[in-house]
Amino acid sequence: MAVDSNLSSPLGPPACEKDAKALRFIEEMTRNADTVQENLLAEILARNADTEYLRRFNLGGATDRDTFKTKIPVITYEDLQPEIQRIADGDRSPILSAHPISEFLTSSGTSAGERKLMPTIKEELDRRQLLYSLLMPVMNLYVPGLDKGKGMYFLFVKSETKTPGGLPARPVLTSYYKSEHFRSRPYDPYNVYTSPNEAILCPDSFQSMYTQILCGLLDRLSVLRVGAVFASGLLRAIRFLQLHWSRFAHDIEFGCLDSEINDRSIRQCMSGILKPDPALAEFIRQECKSENWERIITRIWPNTKYLDVIVTGAMAQYIPTLEYYSGGLPMACTMYASSECYFGLNLNPMSKPSEVSYTIMPNMAYFEFIPLGGTKAVELVDVKIGKEYELVVTTYAGLCRYRVGDILRVTGFHNSAPQFHFVRRKNVLLSIDSDKTDESELQKAVENASKLLQEECGSRVAEYTSYADTSTIPGHYVLYWELLVRDGAKQPSHETVTRCCLEMEESLNSVYRQCRVADNSVGPLEIRVVRNGTFEELMDYAISRGASINQYKVPRCVNFTPIVELLDSRVVSAHFSPALPHWTPERRRR
Ligand code: AMP
């Protein structure tokens, strides 16, 4: 029920007093976006004035935007790599931030094949928590009654390491789930999860997933929303259920947990939850044994009102599959965030995925925007509707004018804060889960595999392109290869090409290999050999559609259906990677 009308917000009537406060905060920040940004930059510059990095640029104590922009360069991760390496190696002097770097957040973006290390400071956790605390008050404006049930969210921690200097290096969500902010969160009726902390915090991804799904099944009628961070994660959970439903049914029938689940804290916690329920076990068997899994989410969890998953950016490829499994439930993309900094939230979370816009919260960091094709960065409040920009951030933790690599298009404003459609990440060719493979990484991988091909049978890869195949769960990379087989040489054997698949996987970056090995969120890479002349046909097709013959370049990734169909119709043989590539949590040193 809506509260007292004098608490009302321009965004809509809040569901409770706590929500009213959160909505007021959003209003205050977005109305005063420019002043908030100006003050925030001054605060960061004053606080970090004596850091080695800022001193290098002789700001002379200035904290204003003009001096900052004139004297400090816009940089990329590679520019900052020496400083980051020193901090990682144990240098505790104030290099980037006056506040001690508490840990490194390992981004899914890579540099030289390894995850980028983003420095962070303790208080950033509060800032992230603040953004999280705004999400439900906004959602409650659109979906009533979410305090009457639970959210079934599939949340996971990933492996972490220590840098040579002893700082933890782990993904931002692992850091958050392991923090007191998450583990000791006060009870909030709008934020009750079916997954116990013990399951979320279990480092073994199989046991974690198993327990989270089991808990979701046991509590199926309470579930009002179903989610994961990204769409690929939710689909992985559905696939897991498809593979293991009979084990879940068995556990539920007899009230005893599968013996493969040996994590002590999970077993202890489940002993209080799992009781024999033969009727539920029978229900699960009936629903899951059929070949037809259409609407499985709403069949098993009939009270689900929406899916809470990010389906913007690279994740848009999963929308049709999620629609199939959920019978067309709305998909809410609630926030936009990264390891560098959490950026903002979607003030209209029930909007269609193609229309999602994120409102950047001006209290999170200092934001600048470089127009696509331009060089001069503009302020948050000065971006223009319809234009595309690259996002640049200056954070409390010490990133200064750092290019995030995301391209955003302005769709409108909420008060004076702009709203952005996420267009794409720069230089990403292929992505299935959190992996991001760029053109040069793919090129290197093909070169390495081509070398192997040449050694084993004298053939070479003449042309190639790629495709992210998400028709299976997990999805996988497909490489289309046209071969150059020397006169008299024999066609490469199946064994040779499968070895080439693995060689390519070994050459891809560590996030790809982690997805393959530890997360099982990317399937074996596939090479489809196409018959000679296929790439010429591809060029003819592009030219028939208006491409210039002089400027034509083979696209290194394809996703336009007629092109994929053309390639598939020319396939002479298909080969999959026969094994997992190498991956360990430890980083390779440069
Ligand atoms: P990471 O540094 O691994 O946390 O990845 C952060 C990146 O994920 C961002 O810079 C975006 O490219 C992408 N990302 C995060 N949130 C969203 C979103 N809501 N929609 C599309 N892409 C997103």
Side-chain angles (χ1 to χ4, degrees):
M1 207 200 351
V3 288
D4 192 339
S5 62
N6 64 19
L7 287 178
S8 189
S9 143
L11 288 164
C16 61
E17 198 119 350
K18 194 162 147 236
D19 285 10
K21 197 168 153 225
L23 299 178
R24 268 202 306 275
F25 179 76
I26 295 174
E27 282 304 296
E28 194 187 312
M29 290 297 121
T30 54
R31 275 204 192 123
N32 305 309
D34 199 40
T35 319
V36 173
Q37 284 280 280
E38 186 172 24
N39 294 341
L40 183 147
L41 179 66
E43 190 190 342
I44 292 177
L45 295 182
R47 175 204 275 206
N48 288 340
D50 284 329
T51 57
E52 184 183 316
Y53 190 76
L54 283 184
R55 286 175 78 98
R56 198 179 294 165
F57 299 104
N58 301 316
L59 286 179
T63 60
D64 63 286
R65 292 192 272 201
D66 282 346
T67 315
F68 176 71
K69 288 203 215 172
T70 317
K71 296 204 164 180
I72 309 277
V74 173
I75 54 159
T76 62
Y77 184 81
E78 282 64 32
D79 297 315
L80 217 51
Q81 172 70 29
E83 285 77 16
I84 290 189
Q85 195 60 56
R86 276 170 54 207
I87 302 171
D89 287 343
D91 190 334
R92 294 281 176 272
S93 63
I95 297 175
L96 298 175
S97 164
H99 287 218
I101 301 301
S102 52
E103 60 182 310
F104 281 105
L105 303 176
T106 54
S107 165
S108 58
T110 54
S111 169
E114 292 293 321
R115 287 171 177 272
K116 291 176 184 165
L117 290 176
M118 295 300 166
T120 190
I121 55 178
K122 272 224 166 66
E123 67 172 47
E124 279 292 293
L125 258 173
D126 300 330
R127 225 164 262 120
R128 285 181 214 123
Q129 174 81 32
L130 175 67
L131 192 68
Y132 283 127
S133 75
L134 306 176
L135 304 182
M136 283 315 284
V138 172
M139 187 54 86
N140 290 337
L141 297 171
Y142 295 88
V143 186
L146 291 174
D147 54 337
K148 306 291 184 292
K150 298 186 183 179
M152 178 173 70
Y153 283 79
F154 301 105
L155 308 175
F156 301 92
V157 293
K158 293 195 181 181
S159 61
E160 61 177 81
T161 51
K162 283 225 180 328
T163 66
L167 289 172
R170 53 193 180 181
V172 61
L173 290 172
T174 299
S175 161
Y176 177 65
Y177 299 143
K178 288 186 171 179
S179 73
E180 282 303 304
H181 288 69
F182 180 79
R183 290 191 312 171
S184 310
R185 59 196 183 277
Y187 175 78
D188 171 357
Y190 291 95
N191 258 323
V192 183
Y193 299 141
T194 51
S195 296
N197 284 1
E198 288 82 349
I200 295 171
L201 293 170
C202 175
D204 178 312
S205 62
F206 179 90
Q207 298 191 49
S208 175
M209 177 73 94
Y210 191 96
T211 313
Q212 296 195 52
I213 296 180
L214 181 59
C215 291
L217 290 169
L218 291 168
D219 224 354
R220 71 184 191 97
L221 296 175
S222 319
V223 171
L224 301 183
R225 50 201 172 107
V226 171
V229 179
F230 290 111
S232 52
L234 181 52
L235 287 172
R236 215 157 70 238
I238 294 170
R239 179 75 191 141
F240 194 99
L241 178 61
Q242 229 162 13
L243 292 173
H244 301 294
W245 57 265
S246 57
R247 287 167 78 171
F248 290 124
H250 182 273
D251 290 7
I252 293 172
E253 180 172 2
F254 299 101
C256 61
L257 188 59
D258 194 286
S259 59
E260 197 175 335
I261 310 304
N262 55 22
D263 180 281
R264 289 250 302 278
S265 55
I266 288 187
R267 288 205 78 87
Q268 193 175 5
C269 142
M270 291 308 290
S271 67
I273 299 176
L274 188 56
K275 302 276 174 315
D277 187 343
L280 177 59
E282 181 53 21
F283 169 82
I284 290 165
R285 288 191 182 107
Q286 285 307 322
E287 290 299 338
C288 296
K289 75 177 182 205
S290 144
E291 286 283 289
N292 179 5
W293 271 51
E294 195 174 350
R295 293 186 305 100
I296 193 74
I297 295 180
T298 38
R299 283 197 268 140
I300 297 185
W301 295 278
N303 300 317
T304 312
K305 299 179 187 222
Y306 67 94
L307 305 182
D308 189 345
V309 277
I310 292 177
V311 285
T312 43
M315 291 291 148
Q317 60 193 336
Y318 295 107
I319 294 171
T321 320
L322 280 177
E323 278 173 343
Y324 174 81
Y325 287 126
S326 73
L329 281 177
M331 294 172 209
C333 301
T334 58
M335 69 189 281
Y336 169 43
S338 77
S339 313
E340 291 88 337
C341 165
Y342 279 21
F343 307 119
L345 76 173
N346 180 359
L347 293 179
N348 187 6
M350 285 295 136
S351 50
K352 282 202 292 208
S354 58
E355 288 163 14
V356 167
S357 288
Y358 299 101
T359 304
I360 291 208
M361 285 297 286
N363 58 306
M364 299 304 292
Y366 176 63
F367 299 105
E368 295 174 81
F369 298 85
I370 302 179
L372 228 55
T375 47
K376 200 169 173 308
V378 301
E379 297 289 331
L380 178 68
V381 297
D382 292 334
V383 296
K384 300 279 176 280
I385 292 179
K387 280 193 96 172
E388 292 188 2
Y389 298 89
E390 184 184 343
L391 178 62
V392 172
V393 290
T394 298
T395 65
Y396 283 90
L399 297 177
C400 273
R401 310 198 80 197
Y402 176 94
R403 296 178 103 120
V404 173
D406 287 349
I407 309 294
L408 311 173
R409 183 171 55 247
V410 187
T411 54
F413 282 81
H414 179 74
N415 298 318
S416 55
Q419 301 183 296
F420 293 94
H421 173 72
F422 182 93
V423 179
R424 65 188 164 88
R425 191 165 171 98
K426 258 171 56 182
N427 304 330
V428 172
L429 209 57
L430 286 166
S431 173
I432 296 286
D433 187 43
S434 53
D435 56 300
K436 299 172 178 66
T437 297
D438 71 21
E439 192 163 333
S440 62
E441 289 169 328
L442 190 70
Q443 170 74 22
K444 187 84 206 132
V446 173
E447 277 170 17
N448 290 348
S450 188
K451 242 184 257 161
L452 186 81
L453 197 66
Q454 200 153 15
E455 280 161 20
E456 296 209 357
C457 63
S459 308
R460 282 198 298 113
V461 180
E463 276 301 357
Y464 73 92
T465 189
S466 65
Y467 171 64
D469 186 345
T470 53
S471 62
T472 53
I473 308 173
H476 69 287
Y477 290 10
V478 174
L479 268 293
Y480 292 96
W481 276 13
E482 187 171 316
L483 301 180
L484 192 72
V485 182
R486 272 187 328 190
D487 282 347
K490 50 183 184 2
Q491 285 286 338
S493 67
H494 173 66
E495 287 64 35
T496 298
V497 188
T498 54
R499 268 200 295 283
C500 289
C501 294
L502 185 56
E503 179 67 22
M504 283 202 63
E505 295 201 296
E506 294 286 10
S507 309
L508 293 172
N509 68 46
S510 76
V511 179
Y512 174 88
R513 286 178 284 115
Q514 180 173 6
C515 286
R516 279 280 285 127
V517 177
D519 306 345
N520 194 19
S521 57
V522 175
L525 182 144
E526 179 184 1
I527 292 175
R528 294 181 191 163
V529 178
V530 293
R531 70 175 185 231
N532 280 359
T534 302
F535 280 77
E536 217 168 300
E537 284 186 68
L538 211 64
M539 177 168 84
D540 293 343
Y541 183 84
I543 289 164
S544 74
R545 287 174 52 92
S548 145
I549 193 157
N550 292 321
Q551 286 164 287
Y552 178 79
K553 294 176 203 68
V554 176
R556 291 308 178 203
C557 180
V558 295
N559 47 28
F560 184 50
T561 312
I563 297 217
V564 178
E565 282 171 359
L566 186 149
L567 287 163
D568 278 334
S569 68
R570 305 295 187 270
V571 170
V572 289
S573 61
H575 317 263
F576 286 90
S577 182
L580 291 172
H582 288 97
W583 176 81
T584 57
E586 283 72 42
R587 303 169 60 81
R588 277 195 316 250
R589 268 188 90 88
R590 298 185 157 234

